[in-house]
Amino acid sequence: MAFRESLPFMHKIEIVCHKGANEYAPENTYAAAQLCIDWGMDYVEIDVNRSKDGVFYLLHGPEVDATTNGHGLITELTADEIDKLDAGSWFHPKFAGEKVPRLVPFLQWIKGKAKLFLDIKAGTPQEIIDLVYQHGLQNDCFFWCGNDAWALQLRTLDPHLQLKINVETIADVIQADNRFRANIVEVALAATNQALIDACRARGIKVMIYHQAKDANAFRTVLEWGVDMINLNHGDLFQQIAQTYYAQA
């Protein structure tokens, strides 16, 4: 039984797995996403990048060196070259032959299994919007891009898609609302405080805490804050902590 289903009384916090289950399988691969699905996680975070000839892939980049047996910038490699790369051996021999997923078939595959957090490294807002609607994922995803102009254009083109903005202070929350009409703000656990959460609540903005360390005490603190979402590397441990936490509530 999925984690979410096994705890019907559980607080609404949603779990976002950063690059998939990247502690157990190579990041941004089907294997990493499948583990998240098996655990019953809510969201799989993926990095969206693009080849020299315009094909979208799941890869952080900009170089392919860190997570494949290839070399160079993804933007300088053709789809045919990327499709031949091994994206698993660097992580563990049992993942040898794991491919860099193309985005379109990945969207088709994951629909109905988990929601998506798309971290956009390449592609125009209109291209990404079109792909999301074509695959019926508009209600099952949210977006972030490190380029403010990209985020502003997305919001101008579509007032309904969920947009995430990073914040550290209440002033950042106000800007996220006024400038970007953000639906979600992401904040580090160390920067989380009640005043910031209250500012988000007053504006109808979800709060997502970002915490990548494998730290049971930190996960309990996240649960105690009562935020909407958590973005992490250790979905399995958080699942265990949350089960115990809510069983004792």
Side-chain angles (χ1 to χ4, degrees):
M1 181 180 291
F3 171 51
R4 198 66 38 187
E5 295 171 346
S6 67
L7 295 168
F9 55 91
M10 185 179 178
H11 184 272
K12 64 181 179 181
I13 189 168
E14 294 184 296
I15 305 172
V16 182
C17 287
H18 182 239
K19 301 180 182 178
N22 69 77
E23 294 291 318
Y24 299 96
E27 66 180 54
N28 282 309
T29 62
Y30 281 100
Q34 183 62 60
L35 271 175
C36 296
I37 293 165
D38 294 344
W39 292 342
M41 302 290 98
D42 297 286
Y43 286 86
V44 177
E45 187 258 0
I46 60 172
D47 296 296
V48 177
N49 226 312
R50 185 159 59 180
S51 68
K52 181 179 181 179
D53 47 347
V55 177
F56 286 110
Y57 284 89
L58 276 61
L59 188 110
H60 186 281
E63 297 88 0
V64 301
D65 304 56
T67 57
T68 78
N69 62 340
H71 303 286
L73 298 171
I74 185 172
T75 53
E76 295 179 354
L77 298 174
T78 65
D80 183 63
E81 292 171 320
I82 296 167
D83 287 342
K84 294 175 182 175
L85 296 178
D86 181 337
S89 293
W90 68 274
F91 187 88
H92 191 279
K94 70 179 180 180
F95 293 106
E98 192 79 25
K99 299 300 182 183
V100 181
R102 290 192 177 205
L103 178 61
V104 169
F106 183 85
L107 295 180
Q108 296 167 341
W109 171 79
I110 202 166
K111 183 179 179 181
K113 299 182 176 76
K115 299 178 184 179
L116 285 177
F117 166 17
L118 295 96
D119 183 338
I120 308 300
K121 308 298 185 185
T124 68
Q126 190 63 66
E127 289 173 316
I128 301 302
I129 289 170
D130 290 345
L131 281 174
V132 165
Y133 278 98
Q134 285 167 12
H135 293 88
L137 294 168
Q138 63 271 21
N139 297 319
D140 295 319
C141 67
F142 67 93
F143 304 88
W144 180 76
C145 182
N147 184 320
D148 284 355
W150 193 99
L152 287 168
Q153 188 177 2
L154 176 81
R155 180 50 75 230
T156 298
L157 291 168
D158 194 302
H160 304 295
L161 290 174
Q162 301 282 296
L163 178 64
K164 187 268 292 186
I165 298 295
N166 296 342
V167 303
E168 295 181 358
T169 66
I170 293 175
D172 293 340
V173 171
I174 294 170
Q175 176 170 266
D177 185 26
N178 292 344
R179 187 181 181 200
F180 297 96
R181 285 175 285 159
N183 309 97
I184 302 165
V185 297
E186 183 172 43
V187 59
L189 178 57
T192 303
N193 58 74
Q194 193 61 54
L196 186 145
I197 293 172
D198 290 345
C200 292
R201 295 279 183 262
R203 292 165 174 80
I205 299 173
K206 292 183 178 181
V207 179
M208 178 168 71
I209 291 180
Y210 177 80
H211 193 73
Q212 298 305 310
K214 189 174 185 178
D215 185 340
N217 289 330
F219 291 161
R220 292 187 190 95
T221 301
V222 171
L223 290 162
E224 289 166 359
W225 276 123
V227 296
D228 305 282
M229 309 170 79
I230 180 171
N231 184 12
L232 40 54
N233 282 334
H234 304 278
D236 56 333
L237 177 59
F238 186 85
Q239 173 179 346
Q240 294 169 17
I241 298 300
Q243 285 175 326
T244 300
Y245 180 88
Y246 287 105
Q248 296 173 347

